[in-house]
Amino acid sequence: MKVLVIHGPNLNLLGKREKGIYGRKSLKEINNEILSLASELRIKVGTAQLNSEGEILDVIQKGDYDVLIINPAAYTHTSVAILDAIAAVDKPAIEVHLSNIHKREDFRRKSFIAGVAVGQISGFGSESYLLALRAAKNIRSRK
Ligand code: DQA
């Protein structure tokens, strides 16, 4: 089984960006934690950080994964295009957020991705990705 983890816009700045909200770990440290759990769980994992919506769509459409773990970052709250791409590819997707998007500004409560995701993991910091990886291991089908 191959899992692809997509980190959306501005997540390359983790460790420097709003540390009180997103934590002190860099994206590299988080990716290392993901890779180390993946080898423990015997799952193949690829990671990508993409700032532009079009690049995210290209990687989703390529479909080179069995399960998608995605932190769409700000596109969570705006992107019908990412919603449509996930629906089109018809592979299970897990939505991840470091912060709890439901207890922040009102505009962050709305996720366009949630309706096409198997589930959403939000608010556990970098641990959110690790919980998603454990969930990915057990996913059989999307619906
Ligand atoms: C985020 C939450 C989003 O609202 C925000 O735009 C991000 C990061 C998170 O991981 O908590 O960039 O997806």
Side-chain angles (χ1 to χ4, degrees):
M1 179 176 77
K2 182 166 176 200
V3 173
L4 175 64
V5 181
I6 298 179
H7 306 281
N10 298 310
L11 295 175
N12 52 316
L13 300 179
L14 287 176
K16 298 178 202 142
R17 172 192 183 205
E18 297 181 278
K19 293 178 211 152
I21 298 174
Y22 300 118
R24 300 189 162 271
K25 285 181 193 161
S26 66
L27 185 60
K28 193 167 184 214
E29 289 174 294
I30 293 173
N31 278 337
N32 284 340
E33 289 179 1
I34 292 170
L35 292 172
S36 135
L37 179 62
S39 90
E40 201 183 293
L41 297 176
R42 297 179 195 283
I43 298 173
K44 280 189 217 145
V45 173
T47 64
Q49 191 280 321
L50 301 162
N51 281 325
S52 83
E53 192 176 25
E55 284 178 316
I56 293 174
L57 298 181
D58 290 342
V59 173
I60 293 172
Q61 287 180 14
K62 204 166 167 211
D64 186 22
Y65 50 83
D66 301 301
V67 179
L68 178 68
I69 293 176
I70 182 165
N71 182 346
Y75 294 136
T76 307
H77 320 296
T78 61
S79 184
V80 178
I82 294 177
L83 175 171
D84 283 348
I86 292 172
V89 169
D90 201 26
K91 294 199 180 184
I94 302 172
E95 180 185 348
V96 162
H97 300 283
L98 296 138
S99 65
N100 181 348
I101 59 170
H102 301 284
K103 66 171 191 192
R104 298 182 60 194
E105 301 95 326
D106 275 353
F107 68 85
R108 291 188 205 272
R109 292 185 166 198
K110 167 75 186 164
S111 166
F112 281 93
I113 313 307
V116 286
V118 178
Q120 182 191 73
I121 301 170
S122 178
F124 296 94
S126 56
E127 182 82 17
S128 291
Y129 289 101
L130 305 181
L131 293 167
L133 200 55
R134 290 186 188 279
K137 190 174 163 127
N138 298 318
I139 284 177
R140 294 264 180 278
S141 71
R142 190 174 141 226
K143 288 174 186 136

